[in-house]
């Protein structure tokens, strides 16, 4: 349950690790968000998975040393908050050109809902905002959100009504700019400070139903700042209790073209990771610098859905030449003895691709034995000394 920051020196092949918080909680929801501040220092923000109201953060002391950190600070949005997740976005054009830093989290005032807070001093101190997205139903649902920013003045949101275990989710999109929330086509919804939006306020990207239950995975901005999204859909599980569904998932790709969302099923995602969380897949991610490339984890052939190789989850690269309608797939891993899960591509250098994923055993979000794998431009970088 340690919160660690690890750097990997590509030239020397050296791993260096700093522990920001010892024994916070053994839960994969607690991974910190990292952001490089305008002054060059790194901000790390993290919290437990729901049991308390404390959001923790630390900032590096110097510009070039990612392992020399100031003392840990704590922000409490409200006494009744029960928080989880951290999503940091810096908007330099806000606050009359002085910039404003946002953290989107969950659980303001014990709402179980996506929430927001902000800082006008690069994260040294914080102010609570409120609830960002609400969904009213007889059950207290929790929308799930993916965030993406243009790095200047706008943050986009891709979200569901609820956890897919509890609701037949659709997928929605909205965005924030200059104190206001908008639909995909620019239609004003309301001011951010006037209270949360609901799914019906936003633009529907995909309509879910009992046999097509959606969950958002990734969101990026590409040409002309238009959003594109990837998500998974659990098929053919209508009426099945938790633990008996999740044998057939599909990955989908959606792109806003300036007028409407163009949405396509692109690959078979295979079966659930474990019973009870029947919507957990190996995951799909967009390439942040290449709008025509995605990476997926699946335990079946992405084109046919048939079992292949050892039956483990493998990583594939997908490319499209027609805006997402058709795809060509290339195996990055094959015949593995352990699962390859949750690919991530950080934004880096033009023309370069740093692909990371988790390799090992995943039994639940609190029970896993995994290592981080790094592949740059086709070359695998084993991380000597990386602790499992």
């Amino acid at each position: 349950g340690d919160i660690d920051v690890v750097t990997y020196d590509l030239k020397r092949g050296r791993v260096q690790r700093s522990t920001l918080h010892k024994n916070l909680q053994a839960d994969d929801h607690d991974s910190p968000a990292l952001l490089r501040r305008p002054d060059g220092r790194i901000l790390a923000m993290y919290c437990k998975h729901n049991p308390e109201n404390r959001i923790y953060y630390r900032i590096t002391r110097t510009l070039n040393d990612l392992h020399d950190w100031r003392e840990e600070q704590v922000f409490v949005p409200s006494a009744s908050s029960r928080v989880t997740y951290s999503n940091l976005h810096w908007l330099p054009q806000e606050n009359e050109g002085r910039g404003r830093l946002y953290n989107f989290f969950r659980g303001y005032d014990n709402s179980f809902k996506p929430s927001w807070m902000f800082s006008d001093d690069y994260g040294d101190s914080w102010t609570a905002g409120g609830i960002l997205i609400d969904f009213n139903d007889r059950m207290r649902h929790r929308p799930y959100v993916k965030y993406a920013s243009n790095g200047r003045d706008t943050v986009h949101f891709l979200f569901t009504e609820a956890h897919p275990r509890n609701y037949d989710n659709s997928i929605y999109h909205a965005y924030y700019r200059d104190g206001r929330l908008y639909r995909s086509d620019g239609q004003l919804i309301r001011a951010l400070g006037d209270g949360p939006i609901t799914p019906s306020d936003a633009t529907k990207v995909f309509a879910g139903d009992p046999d097509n239950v959606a969950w958002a995975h990734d969101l990026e901005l590409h040409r002309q700042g238009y959003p594109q999204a990837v998500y998974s859909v659990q098929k053919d599980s209508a009426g099945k209790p938790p633990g008996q569904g999740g044998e057939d998932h599909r990955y989908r790709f959606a792109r806003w073209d300036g007028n409407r969302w163009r949405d396509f099923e692109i690959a078979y995602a295979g079966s659930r990771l474990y019973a009870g969380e029947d919507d957990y897949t190996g995951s799909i991610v967009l390439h942040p610098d290449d709008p025509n490339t995605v990476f997926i984890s699946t335990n079946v052939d992405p084109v046919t859905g048939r079992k292949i190789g050892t039956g483990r989850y493998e990583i594939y690269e997908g490319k499209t030449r027609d805006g997402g309608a058709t795809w060509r797939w290339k195996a990055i891993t094959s015949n593995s003895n352990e699962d390859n899960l949750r690919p991530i591509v950080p934004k880096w250098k033009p023309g370069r691709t740093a692909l990371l994923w988790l390799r090992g055993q995943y039994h639940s979000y609190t029970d896993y034995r995994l290592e981080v794998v790094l592949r740059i431009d086709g070359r695998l970088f084993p991380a000597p000394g990386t602790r499992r």
Side-chain angles (χ1 to χ4, degrees):
D2 293 352
I3 299 297
D4 290 340
V5 170
V6 178
T7 58
Y8 181 59
D9 188 317
L10 297 176
K11 292 182 179 180
R12 297 180 178 86
R14 184 178 66 184
V15 172
Q16 189 173 356
R17 179 186 301 269
S18 294
T19 298
L20 304 188
H21 191 119
K22 189 73 174 174
N23 298 328
L24 179 75
Q25 186 186 37
D27 189 312
D28 73 1
H29 296 67
D30 302 348
S31 297
L34 299 173
L35 180 134
R36 185 181 296 276
R37 305 187 340 165
D39 63 4
R41 292 177 173 84
I42 303 298
L43 166 66
M45 182 161 278
Y46 45 95
C47 49
K48 292 183 180 181
H49 184 199
N50 293 329
E52 63 180 18
N53 59 13
R54 299 160 67 86
I55 297 176
Y56 304 89
Y57 61 101
R58 295 183 70 171
I59 300 167
T60 53
R61 297 181 190 276
T62 59
L63 302 185
N64 299 314
D65 189 347
L66 274 71
H67 298 281
D68 183 15
W69 295 84
R70 298 178 188 172
E71 292 301 312
E72 184 178 75
Q73 303 294 313
V74 174
F75 176 70
V76 177
S78 71
S80 62
S81 291
R82 294 294 178 267
V83 298
T84 188
Y85 306 135
S86 299
N87 297 272
L88 294 167
H89 290 278
W90 165 248
L91 300 183
Q93 295 183 16
E94 284 225 340
N95 192 27
E96 298 180 345
R98 296 188 295 271
R100 176 166 287 173
L101 176 60
Y102 287 90
N103 179 44
F104 297 97
F105 64 101
R106 190 178 78 190
Y108 181 70
D109 278 350
N110 198 24
S111 63
F112 225 29
K113 302 294 192 295
S115 308
W116 60 281
M117 54 195 257
F118 68 94
S119 171
D120 289 337
D121 54 13
Y122 304 158
D124 285 334
S125 63
W126 292 87
T127 301
I131 300 171
L132 177 68
I133 303 170
D134 198 359
F135 178 56
N136 295 315
D137 193 72
R138 64 181 183 274
M139 181 177 178
R140 191 176 71 139
H141 286 298
R142 43 187 161 160
Y144 278 76
V145 194
K146 292 295 179 180
Y147 304 89
S149 169
N150 65 0
R152 300 186 306 276
D153 61 359
T154 305
V155 180
H156 291 251
F157 318 113
L158 186 77
F159 60 97
T160 64
E161 294 98 339
H163 193 295
R165 188 197 313 118
N166 306 126
Y167 196 83
D168 299 331
N169 283 337
S170 298
I171 295 287
Y172 302 86
H173 170 264
Y175 67 90
Y176 164 80
R177 179 182 296 153
D178 193 25
R180 297 174 178 85
L181 296 161
Y182 298 88
R183 293 169 55 89
S184 302
D185 61 3
Q187 179 182 340
L188 175 66
I189 301 174
R190 64 173 55 88
L192 178 63
D194 287 346
I197 63 171
T198 65
S200 60
D201 294 325
T203 301
K204 183 178 286 188
V205 178
F206 173 83
D209 61 43
D211 282 319
N212 295 274
V213 183
W215 212 357
H217 282 251
D218 197 17
L219 178 68
E220 291 286 352
L221 307 181
H222 284 299
R223 295 174 184 140
Q224 300 178 327
Y226 291 159
Q228 63 183 42
V230 287
Y231 58 99
S232 61
V233 173
Q234 184 188 163
K235 306 282 287 187
D236 304 327
S237 293
K240 295 181 180 178
Q244 295 185 19
E247 293 303 318
D248 181 8
H249 294 87
R250 312 290 175 86
Y251 290 132
R252 298 185 69 93
F253 173 95
R255 174 180 287 171
W256 177 255
D257 68 3
N259 296 298
R260 65 185 179 94
W261 283 93
R262 297 181 178 272
D263 178 62
F264 306 97
E265 181 178 297
I266 65 171
Y268 285 88
S271 59
R272 68 195 182 197
L273 292 188
Y274 64 91
E277 292 289 3
D278 299 346
D279 299 88
Y280 275 27
T281 66
S283 197
I284 178 171
V285 67
L286 294 157
H287 194 307
D289 299 313
D290 182 352
N292 300 311
T293 299
V294 302
F295 293 90
I296 66 172
S297 168
T298 178
N299 61 352
V300 297
D301 185 294
V303 177
T304 66
R306 298 192 185 97
K307 296 287 185 181
I308 57 171
T310 59
R312 297 292 186 179
Y313 289 84
E314 307 285 5
I315 304 295
Y316 290 83
E317 178 185 61
K319 288 187 174 293
T320 181
R321 293 182 178 179
D322 53 15
T326 60
W327 293 79
R328 299 185 66 179
W329 297 97
K330 179 178 73 173
I332 301 298
T333 66
S334 59
N335 296 312
S336 300
N337 294 321
E338 295 184 294
D339 288 325
N340 301 276
L341 306 169
R342 295 181 174 171
I344 295 175
V345 181
K347 195 170 185 63
W348 191 32
K349 298 177 180 180
R352 306 293 304 278
T353 299
L355 170 66
L356 300 99
W357 68 90
L358 299 176
R359 180 173 63 197
Q361 303 167 22
Y362 189 92
H363 304 295
S364 78
Y365 63 86
T366 59
D367 181 8
Y368 44 86
R369 182 179 176 84
L370 299 163
E371 59 186 354
V372 178
V373 180
L374 169 64
R375 181 180 183 268
I376 297 180
D377 299 334
R379 177 186 173 191
L380 195 64
F381 283 75
T386 297
R387 185 178 65 204
R388 291 193 175 197

